[in-house]
């Protein structure tokens, strides 16, 4: 009688030839989704290690998962797409409202969200983030409803994408710091340029001796650090240097046409920021970048005092006001204001009055007594007494039709106070 085979309770495996005869596993039918997930993870990891970018991420996702993929940046601008026309990201595309809704939900919850558009196309959105920092989003669009395994793959892809963006940011931050340090050295040592400084700038493909345009920027809605970053991006593409110096976003460039360069810089930075921004450029004489900085900075303050918040110009465009911002003309401004308004300024200082403001309001309202009184919030009789007092200090001719020098001095004085010169 033959012995019965011993059974130890372990699962029975089919013979090796049976395994080989089985058809290959379709990764998308795998209930765990391991096959495509592993392949995608390896491909995206390779992107990070080899210095790839958003285009590579979008391509690998589209190749592995099918459908169409778009990669959105921190401000939800399109960074890359694969398997789709870029118009999918346009606000006029019928699919975009659903994508935006899914994007808002994913941003709020931190989980992948899916919306269907009118054509029954599913749009799945997963945010790319590191901690509390929002870095962008991945949008996957395809005709079928996504499986849980698909959504897990998309979410895991955002982890690799976050690592890629953090790596890019670290490289960019290092380059930005170096650019700012080189620019600071040139400004501090101006107008002298050492051989070491020339060597360091030359190593970055920049000719220090050719940097003939200094640009300063300001915005009522964007932080200085954000402005400096955008100036750095622009400077990188134009063989220049940029950074923050003495609290001001500053850039050094070479320009054949200074006016055209400032206008182009304003357009580019305005587009990237999508906010109002003022750019003022000053042509650099020799290597005197420090003097150019002082002139451009004062002129920039002047433009803000004049109510201009979104334009690009050079200091030559404000030549009429050069007494206010040109360092070598400050004494001329002092003499002009003193000769024209000196007695009135002295009267105000001695008696704690403000007749200068009254005179300025009178001209600002084109000599209308009623409008001037309303602007100053005083009774008409009070205004008449103040005007008579000004007459006694400056003489009757101060408000005559030919008193242009008084009007100009008053305006210069007001701007000077606003700018803080």
């Amino acid at each position: 009688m033959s012995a019965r085979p011993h059974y130890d309770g372990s699962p029975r495996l089919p013979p090796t030839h049976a395994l080989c005869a089985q058809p290959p596993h379709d990764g998308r039918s795998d209930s765990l989704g391991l096959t495509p997930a592993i392949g995608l993870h390896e491909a995206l990891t390779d992107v990070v290690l080899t210095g790839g970018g958003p285009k590579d991420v979008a391509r690998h996702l589209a190749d592995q998962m099918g459908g169409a993929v778009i990669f959105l940046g921190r401000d939800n601008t399109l960074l890359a797409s694969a398997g789709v026309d870029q118009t999918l990201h346009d606000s006029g595309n019928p699919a975009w409202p659903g994508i935006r809704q899914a994007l808002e939900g994913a941003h709020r919850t931190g989980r992948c969200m899916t919306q269907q558009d009118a054509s029954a196309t599913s749009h799945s959105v997963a945010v790319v983030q590191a901690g509390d920092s929002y870095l962008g989003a991945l949008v996957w669009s395809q005709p079928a409803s996504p499986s849980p395994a698909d959504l897990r793959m998309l979410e895991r892809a955002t982890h690799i994408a976050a690592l890629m963006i953090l790596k890019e940011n670290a490289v960019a931050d290092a380059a930005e710091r170096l650019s700012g340090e080189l620019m600071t050295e040139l400004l501090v040592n101006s107008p002298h340029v050492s051989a070491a400084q020339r060597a360091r700038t030359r190593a970055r493909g920049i000719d220090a001796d050719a940097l003939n345009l200094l640009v300063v920027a300001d915005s009522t809605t964007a932080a200085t650090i954000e402005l400096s970053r955008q100036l750095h991006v622009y400077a990188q593409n134009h063989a220049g240097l940029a950074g923050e110096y003495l609290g001001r976003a500053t850039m050094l460039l070479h320009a054949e046409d200074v006016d055209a360069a400032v206008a182009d810089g304003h357009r580019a930075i305005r587009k990237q920021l999508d906010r109002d921004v003022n750019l003022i450029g000053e042509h650099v004489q020799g290597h005197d970048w420090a003097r150019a900085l002082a002139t451009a900075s004062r002129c920039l303050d002047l433009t803000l005092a004049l109510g201009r918040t979104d334009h690009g110009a050079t200091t030559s465009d404000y030549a009429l006001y050069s007494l206010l911002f040109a360092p070598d003309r400050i004494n001329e401004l002092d003499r002009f204001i003193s000769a024209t308004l000196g007695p009135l300024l002295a009267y105000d200082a001695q008696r704690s009055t403000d007749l200068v403001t009254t005179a300025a309001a009178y001209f600002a309202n084109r000599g209308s007594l009623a409008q001037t009184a309303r602007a100053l919030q005083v009774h008409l009789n009070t205004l008449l007494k103040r005007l008579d007092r000004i007459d006694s200090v400056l003489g009757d001719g101060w408000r005559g039709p030919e008193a242009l020098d008084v009007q100009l001095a008053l305006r210069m004085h007001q701007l000077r106070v606003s700018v803080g010169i």
Side-chain angles (χ1 to χ4, degrees), residues 84-298:
V84 62
D85 186 352
Q86 291 186 6
T87 56
L88 180 64
H89 179 250
D90 292 345
S91 58
N93 190 295
W96 180 242
I99 294 175
R100 178 172 288 279
Q101 187 176 353
L103 179 61
E104 292 172 353
H107 198 178
R108 184 176 59 256
T109 64
R111 300 303 304 272
C112 188
M113 301 291 288
T114 300
Q115 290 285 337
Q116 281 192 338
D117 61 23
S119 65
T121 299
S122 295
H123 305 284
S124 301
V125 180
V127 296
V128 180
Q129 59 186 24
D132 295 331
S133 299
Y134 176 73
L135 304 176
L138 292 173
V139 182
W140 176 45
S141 304
Q142 39 91 44
S145 296
S147 68
D150 289 331
L151 297 182
R152 283 196 296 272
M153 273 200 298
L154 187 62
E155 287 184 338
R156 288 167 183 160
T158 64
H159 301 164
I160 305 297
L163 290 175
M164 179 197 70
I165 292 175
L166 290 175
K167 177 187 174 184
E168 290 179 343
N169 289 348
V171 173
D173 287 345
E176 186 176 335
R177 283 195 300 273
L178 178 58
S179 176
E181 289 170 1
L182 289 174
M183 184 192 71
T184 297
E185 287 183 17
L186 293 178
L187 288 168
V188 169
N189 296 323
S190 170
H192 305 291
V193 185
S194 69
Q197 289 170 338
R198 285 191 172 91
R200 292 183 67 193
T201 54
R202 189 164 54 249
R204 292 177 56 84
I206 299 168
D207 181 2
D209 296 312
L211 299 175
N212 64 338
L213 172 63
L214 183 139
V215 178
V216 289
D218 200 301
S219 173
T220 56
T221 57
T224 301
I225 188 172
E226 189 175 0
L227 280 174
S228 299
R229 184 168 289 117
Q230 293 302 328
L231 289 181
H232 171 69
V233 172
Y234 187 84
Q236 270 190 316
N237 297 326
H238 294 79
L241 299 170
E244 183 177 340
Y245 183 71
L246 298 179
R248 181 79 83 185
T250 309
M251 177 169 62
L252 290 174
L253 297 174
H254 169 71
E256 296 293 339
D257 186 329
V258 169
D259 295 286
V262 174
D264 179 72
H266 175 258
R267 282 192 299 269
I269 294 166
R270 174 69 170 80
K271 181 178 180 181
Q272 288 299 316
L273 284 175
D274 194 26
R275 301 179 190 180
D276 291 351
V277 60
N278 268 353
L279 255 66
I280 293 294
E282 165 70 354
H283 183 261
V284 180
Q285 301 293 334
H287 298 138
D288 204 349
W289 297 293
R291 181 185 180 282
L293 175 66
T295 302
S297 293
R298 287 176 175 174

